[in-house]
Amino acid sequence: MATTNPDGHFPTRGPVVMCVSAATLVLCSLFVGFRLVSRFMVVRKTGWDDYTMIAAWLLAFGASFSICYGTTKGLGRRQENMPPEWQQPMKQSAYVFSVLYNPALMATKTSILLFYLTLSKTQKVFRWATIATLLVVNIGGLALTILNILQCRPVSAAWFSPVPDSAHCTNIVTIYLSSAPLNIITDVAILFLPMPILTSMHLPKKQKIILVITFGFGIFVAAVDVIRIAYLQDAQRDTLQAAQARTSESGNEQRNNGDFAWYASLSFMWSAVEINLGIMCGCVPALKPLVRRFLPSWIIDHTMRDPTARTSDETVLHPEILGSRRRSDLLIPPASPLSKPYPARDSGGDGSMGMMDFLTTPDMNEMPQLRPSNTVVTYATTTLTRRQSMTFFDFVNMGQKKNITLRSNRESVYPVIMVTILFFVWGFAYGFLDVLNSRFQEVARMSDWQTVGQHSAYYAGYIIGPLTFGRIVFKTWGFKACYMVGLSVYACGTLIFWPSAVLNSFPAFLVSNFITGAGLSTLELSANPFIALCGPPEYAEARLNLSQAVQAIGTIVSPLLAKKVLFPANAASLIDVQWTYLGISFFNIALAIIYFYVPLPEATDEELEIASQRTVPHAREATINIGSKPVKVLWIGLGMATFSQFCYVGGQEATSTSYNGYINRVMPSTDYVSQQAYGHTAFAVSRFLAAVADIWVKPRFSLLFFYLSAIAFAVAAMHATGSAGAAIITMVMFFEGPIFPQIFAQGIRGMGRHTKDASVIITAAIGGGGVFPPIMYAALKIHNSQYAFCVIVAAFAGGALYPLWLNALPATRRLSDPVRDEHTRRESEDEERRQESADDKKTKRWSNIKKRLSWNKDDDKLPSVEHRERRSWPQGLAPSGESMAIEPVRTRTPSFSNNSSGR
């Protein structure tokens, strides 16, 4: 995108940058002008979103004008092709643009979000999510604006040429790239926030198309932001390569000696496009009255008798019912204190029009004032339906679904498969995260202790996430809400890696790891109990082992892909890692949206309590005396399971983080990456084998067996060398595999209404993975990697107390052993028989229909009927009248009788 200067001596990007920036500004101005005409002159009603959009346009005008002015002073040229006297005005225009960029985006997004708040006043989750996004947009935008204003100390040094040695300036490319995650996160949030409401609306075809186009334009803004970042990344490669070579390029040197005007010009251009396109997208919904006035055929569907829109919190009535004023009002049932009247589609006492009406109704001047009257039957039916149905996030009806504790093996296959996909996602993510840590350490020259700190920050997220927002989401909205929230938080964590890598900042990278851990822990918080509870309880351990085995497969694939193919240790590869994590982030957001619409069963605390009462009613009440006070075995078991999970994950992570050092000590010639792949493969295989074994072997036995075996091989690893040592550490990973799902499934068994809280506590215990690796690393530094395996032995020994407890007492054995839910099993079998009977009836009915519609009606069917009718009487007792009636028929159709006798 460069042109040749008219004198033909050097290339320049200035003309392209000026033309594109000016053209998008003109289009943006037209959209804002049409919006003002629509709101001020046609509708004659304005709001804060209109005034905010005007402010956004003023800021966009200033930003675009500064770019166009900068192109006349050398923006888009190489350093050597720019006259010295142009340096200062060019840098002044760049400074003005950098200061106006974030406020322009803030104002645009604020206007759109204020408009969102008018879409539905009854959707509380949507409103709070919009308000949260509004806060993020403005707080983050304000912080970035201050950062841009203070990019140099003193501020005036930002446009000095050259920058004096007494001043200090930040690398301008670094500042621009640091804002990338915030812009992408808020762009995606604004794009998808209204989708649940829009997809639940009942609209005419044309209006649905208009809404899809209106709210789908935001994807172009996110795409433009990604293009802008791509140009900035090219400039950032030099900074990363300098860091890897242990050299530095300060912000002063970059401004004095670099080709900033050349490589930043296209980024500025795409930034202007992003601002102007965002304003255009924000203005599109407000243009509907203007289009209605001058081009009504574009938006009105004349085939619909009553195109009145409905959101998910309103009632849909047939047009004939809506026109029932002719009917008697006596049919309207009396008001009940248990029911509330449906809200009328009135926008306010002043007669003004709400934004949802503004978007969806064909007549912009007045709303249809319809008075639906219900008969007794329709009223009772509607009320009963509203009371029985349970809504999820007020959008998707989750009523009338069999809860997860009542599902047979066949009924649980689909939901278990859908949730197992999430297991693979976070297994794959963990493998990438491990590689990312190592690559970041190599490129940024970080110490080993800093790498251990990054690992611990990830597991700190596992402690904080479930105990804070994860528990609130799980208890309030259930399993599926945790999947969506977890995927969204995980996406934010991967995006925040971007500024941490750009800034080469260890604290920022700790934040990225922490948020990623908090997101994945929220996923795991609900996914593990979902798999354990969804289906017959006797197969809980088997199901969870299978799903966790799929997760282990992701852990095998991602490190091999990352280390062997994608990310060699150099500065360019770290930028590739950033793009990879951007892709992962978008994938997670898309997955969260998909799971919103995937029908998955739920279970309330009351349903979980009933399920426990059906299976282990007496074992749950067993107590033992501690001192003089009886304590339930159930609570002691939960505490033991939590401690065991804490120790196990700590030992597992200590093994994983020390794997490289151990292999290099016992067998230096071995390829570490390939050898660790063998260990991960053994880890996954053991879970598949344990899933099969748990069908016949009591889980408390297998848990004890795997714990003791892992301890034995960890002790052996302290003394083995050569290929024997490599094989032994692989066996340690083999016996580690099934321990986690066994602890989790048995830890929540019998918890009843406290199952979700138990899941929260056991998931938080995974934070042990951030405690034991630093201890092992200290032992490795003091002695060696073989000696350090004593930490793993101690961790597994502490965790093994739980299976010993489960096998010690009759009460603990009764609570731990899976019990068939005979009541649910009988109901499922009866339901399957009814379903099979219904399917048989449908098959027979379809067969009869096909026979009736068959073209081959000249065969042997009529004689057979006659023959059966005649022989239905005992021989010699048939009435004479019937014989006389049948005989003429046989005479008239002799060919049929011949065919019948031929059979």
Side-chain angles (χ1 to χ4, degrees):
M1 297 180 67
T3 60
T4 303
N5 191 271
D7 55 18
H9 293 299
F10 54 85
T12 177
R13 293 172 171 175
V16 174
V17 174
M18 174 182 281
C19 291
V20 173
S21 301
T24 54
L25 178 62
V26 170
L27 290 175
C28 168
S29 302
L30 287 175
F31 272 76
V32 173
F34 289 144
R35 176 192 180 109
L36 297 181
V37 171
S38 178
R39 300 305 305 275
F40 282 86
M41 301 179 64
V42 179
V43 179
R44 297 183 180 180
K45 179 191 176 184
T46 57
W48 282 107
D49 55 322
D50 299 302
Y51 301 119
T52 311
M53 189 61 74
I54 294 173
W57 178 81
L58 292 174
L59 293 168
F61 180 85
S64 300
F65 180 81
S66 65
I67 293 177
C68 295
Y69 174 77
T71 58
T72 66
K73 297 299 180 181
L75 185 65
R77 294 189 183 188
R78 295 281 187 182
Q79 182 86 358
E80 63 271 14
N81 300 325
M82 191 183 304
E85 62 272 15
W86 285 6
Q87 290 281 349
Q88 183 168 341
M90 187 276 295
K91 290 183 177 180
Q92 287 175 336
S93 66
Y95 179 79
V96 170
F97 173 80
S98 64
V99 172
L100 294 179
Y101 170 72
N102 285 295
L105 290 180
M106 287 169 55
T108 303
K109 295 176 182 179
T110 299
S111 175
I112 296 173
L113 291 168
L114 290 175
F115 162 69
Y116 281 1
L117 290 176
T118 65
L119 288 179
S120 177
K121 297 182 179 180
T122 60
Q123 307 290 358
K124 293 183 179 180
V125 174
F126 170 75
R127 290 182 63 81
W128 282 110
T130 303
I131 293 172
T133 307
L134 193 61
L135 292 175
V136 171
V137 165
N138 287 278
I139 294 174
L142 180 62
L144 291 171
T145 301
I146 295 174
L147 181 63
N148 279 284
I149 293 174
L150 303 178
Q151 60 186 262
C152 287
R153 296 190 302 269
V155 174
S156 59
W159 55 81
F160 282 170
S161 182
V163 178
D165 294 336
S166 60
H168 174 74
C169 291
T170 307
N171 189 321
I172 191 66
V173 178
T174 299
I175 295 176
Y176 292 156
L177 280 173
S178 299
S179 65
L182 178 67
N183 290 338
I184 294 175
I185 290 171
T186 53
D187 286 342
V188 173
I190 290 173
L191 176 62
F192 291 112
L193 266 176
M195 292 304 171
I197 288 181
L198 298 179
T199 54
S200 66
M201 295 173 63
H202 292 260
L203 295 172
K205 184 177 179 180
K206 280 191 177 181
Q207 291 192 20
K208 278 194 174 183
I209 294 174
I210 291 171
L211 283 181
V212 170
I213 294 175
T214 299
F215 290 91
F217 270 122
I219 196 170
F220 297 108
V221 179
V224 167
D225 197 26
V226 173
I227 295 172
R228 165 181 170 268
I229 292 168
Y231 287 102
L232 287 173
Q233 287 284 37
D234 290 336
Q236 187 65 12
R237 292 179 190 270
D238 295 334
T239 303
L240 289 173
Q241 289 168 355
Q244 188 178 18
R246 295 188 177 181
T247 62
S248 63
E249 184 184 35
S250 66
N252 293 17
E253 294 173 348
Q254 181 262 342
R255 291 167 186 262
N256 292 334
N257 305 321
D259 279 328
F260 170 76
W262 170 262
Y263 60 70
S265 57
L266 292 180
S267 176
F268 283 179
M269 181 191 74
W270 284 108
S271 299
V273 172
E274 178 188 7
I275 296 172
N276 295 328
L277 183 61
I279 292 176
M280 286 188 278
C281 293
C283 289
V284 168
L287 303 182
K288 189 251 183 177
L290 195 64
V291 177
R292 161 71 179 172
R293 174 67 61 87
F294 297 103
L295 298 169
S297 61
W298 283 20
I299 60 174
I300 298 180
D301 192 343
H302 296 285
T303 62
M304 300 294 294
R305 289 185 58 189
D306 183 51
T308 302
R310 180 185 85 89
T311 57
S312 59
D313 53 354
E314 297 173 327
T315 306
V316 171
L317 298 176
H318 193 274
E320 294 181 0
I321 299 178
L322 292 176
S324 58
R325 295 190 182 194
R326 296 169 297 179
R327 301 180 183 178
S328 172
D329 286 344
L330 295 175
L331 294 177
I332 302 178
S336 170
L338 298 178
S339 62
K340 296 186 295 183
Y342 298 124
R345 291 184 52 83
D346 191 5
S347 55
D350 58 354
S352 59
M353 186 183 302
M355 282 307 299
M356 180 56 74
D357 305 330
F358 180 78
L359 273 176
T360 59
T361 56
D363 192 344
M364 67 183 179
N365 295 320
E366 63 175 346
M367 295 298 300
Q369 301 296 327
L370 301 174
R371 182 188 179 191
S373 63
N374 301 323
T375 64
V376 175
V377 176
T378 58
Y379 178 85
T381 303
T382 303
T383 303
L384 181 62
T385 303
R386 288 172 60 90
R387 290 180 184 177
Q388 287 182 347
S389 63
M390 179 184 67
T391 58
F392 173 74
F393 271 30
D394 292 334
F395 299 145
V396 178
N397 191 343
M398 298 296 294
Q400 306 302 324
K401 289 184 180 296
K402 183 183 291 187
N403 77 75
I404 59 177
T405 65
L406 299 176
R407 301 219 158 203
S408 63
N409 281 322
R410 178 186 298 180
E411 294 169 329
S412 63
V413 169
Y414 169 76
V416 166
I417 289 175
M418 295 305 299
V419 177
T420 300
I421 294 174
L422 297 178
F423 280 84
F424 181 83
V425 167
W426 81 63
F428 195 85
Y430 178 76
F432 262 91
L433 187 70
D434 186 51
V435 177
L436 179 62
N437 285 337
S438 62
R439 290 297 176 260
F440 191 84
Q441 177 194 12
E442 295 169 7
V443 173
R445 302 290 180 178
M446 302 180 72
S447 67
D448 293 337
W449 277 111
Q450 286 178 319
T451 302
V452 173
Q454 295 166 9
H455 190 88
S456 297
Y458 171 80
Y459 279 98
Y462 262 83
I463 298 175
I464 302 300
L467 295 177
T468 54
F469 66 89
R471 181 182 181 274
I472 295 173
V473 173
F474 195 23
K475 294 282 289 183
T476 306
W477 291 293
F479 292 90
K480 191 162 77 168
C482 280
Y483 307 151
M484 294 185 294
V485 172
L487 287 167
S488 301
V489 174
Y490 171 40
C492 294
T494 57
L495 276 177
I496 292 176
F497 167 75
W498 204 303
S500 66
V502 167
L503 298 171
N504 200 12
S505 169
F506 175 68
F509 203 70
L510 289 181
V511 172
S512 174
N513 278 267
F514 175 82
I515 295 177
T516 301
L520 291 176
S521 67
T522 307
L523 274 178
E524 199 156 357
L525 169 66
S526 62
N528 284 316
F530 184 94
I531 298 294
L533 296 169
C534 188
E538 62 269 25
Y539 302 126
E541 286 82 1
R543 287 192 301 271
L544 193 52
N545 263 307
L546 284 174
S547 295
Q548 293 271 3
V550 174
Q551 175 199 1
I553 292 174
T555 309
I556 297 169
V557 173
S558 57
L560 289 175
L561 180 64
K563 294 178 180 179
K564 295 286 189 180
V565 181
L566 296 179
F567 313 130
N570 54 57
S573 74
L574 191 58
I575 290 180
D576 294 336
V577 171
Q578 296 174 36
W579 286 112
T580 302
Y581 265 70
L582 178 63
I584 292 174
S585 180
F586 282 140
F587 172 76
N588 287 328
I589 292 172
L591 201 61
I593 295 169
I594 291 172
Y595 270 84
F596 178 86
Y597 296 103
V598 171
L600 292 175
E602 293 281 341
T604 64
D605 289 342
E606 291 74 15
E607 291 167 340
L608 294 172
E609 177 69 18
I610 294 172
S612 295
Q613 292 287 354
R614 289 197 306 266
T615 53
V616 285
H618 303 294
R620 298 174 69 244
E621 305 300 326
T623 61
I624 59 174
N625 292 324
I626 298 180
S628 59
K629 185 177 181 180
V631 179
K632 282 188 177 183
V633 172
L634 188 71
W635 303 121
I636 299 175
L638 177 60
M640 296 288 289
T642 303
F643 178 73
S644 181
Q645 196 75 287
F646 181 86
C647 293
Y648 160 72
V649 178
Q652 174 194 327
E653 290 305 308
T655 305
S656 178
T657 55
S658 64
Y659 201 101
N660 188 14
Y662 183 86
I663 291 296
N664 289 336
R665 177 176 174 81
V666 301
M667 200 174 179
S669 60
T670 303
D671 179 20
Y672 154 66
V673 177
S674 300
Q675 184 64 34
Q676 193 169 34
Y678 298 148
H680 286 309
T681 303
F683 188 87
V685 169
S686 66
R687 285 182 168 175
F688 282 111
L689 295 177
V692 177
D694 285 338
I695 297 175
W696 295 283
V697 179
K698 292 181 178 180
R700 55 187 169 89
F701 291 148
S702 61
L703 178 58
L704 181 61
F705 168 75
F706 284 111
Y707 250 134
L708 296 178
S709 300
I711 293 171
F713 278 97
V715 171
M718 297 176 64
H719 307 284
T721 58
S723 58
I728 285 174
I729 193 174
T730 301
M731 292 305 298
V732 171
M733 296 188 71
F734 175 85
F735 287 108
E736 285 176 353
I739 295 178
F740 181 98
Q742 300 275 29
I743 294 173
F744 205 104
Q746 295 180 72
I748 65 172
R749 177 166 286 126
M751 295 303 299
R753 66 169 62 91
H754 305 290
T755 300
K756 294 181 180 179
D757 286 322
S759 177
V760 169
I761 295 172
I762 297 176
T763 303
I766 298 174
V771 176
F772 284 89
I775 298 174
M776 185 163 185
Y777 184 73
L780 186 150
K781 286 296 184 182
I782 296 172
H783 295 280
N784 55 62
S785 57
Q786 285 180 291
Y787 175 85
F789 261 69
C790 66
V791 177
I792 299 174
V793 173
F796 289 161
L801 295 176
Y802 180 56
L804 291 174
W805 159 261
L806 294 179
N807 287 278
L809 302 174
T812 58
R813 292 194 290 268
R814 286 194 297 270
L815 185 62
S816 172
D817 292 341
V819 178
R820 283 186 175 183
D821 189 349
E822 296 294 346
H823 176 73
T824 303
R825 180 182 291 271
R826 286 194 297 270
E827 286 187 348
S828 298
E829 291 175 352
D830 293 342
E831 184 174 344
E832 289 179 2
R833 282 194 293 268
R834 287 194 298 269
Q835 185 65 34
E836 291 175 357
S837 177
D839 292 341
D840 290 341
K841 291 180 179 178
K842 290 180 181 179
T843 303
K844 292 179 180 178
R845 189 180 301 115
W846 176 243
S847 177
N848 292 335
I849 292 174
K850 288 196 297 184
K851 289 180 180 178
R852 293 172 184 174
L853 297 178
S854 174
W855 292 96
N856 300 321
K857 296 183 178 181
D858 54 346
D859 292 334
D860 54 350
K861 297 175 183 176
L862 288 179
S864 299
V865 173
E866 293 177 5
H867 193 59
R868 284 196 301 269
E869 289 177 355
R870 188 177 58 178
R871 292 201 306 178
S872 62
W873 294 92
Q875 187 175 3
L877 296 180
S880 57
E882 181 186 6
S883 301
M884 294 174 62
I886 294 175
E887 188 63 37
V889 174
R890 295 179 61 194
T891 303
R892 288 195 302 267
T893 56
S895 59
F896 293 155
S897 298
N898 292 336
N899 288 337
S900 178
S901 61
R903 297 198 315 180

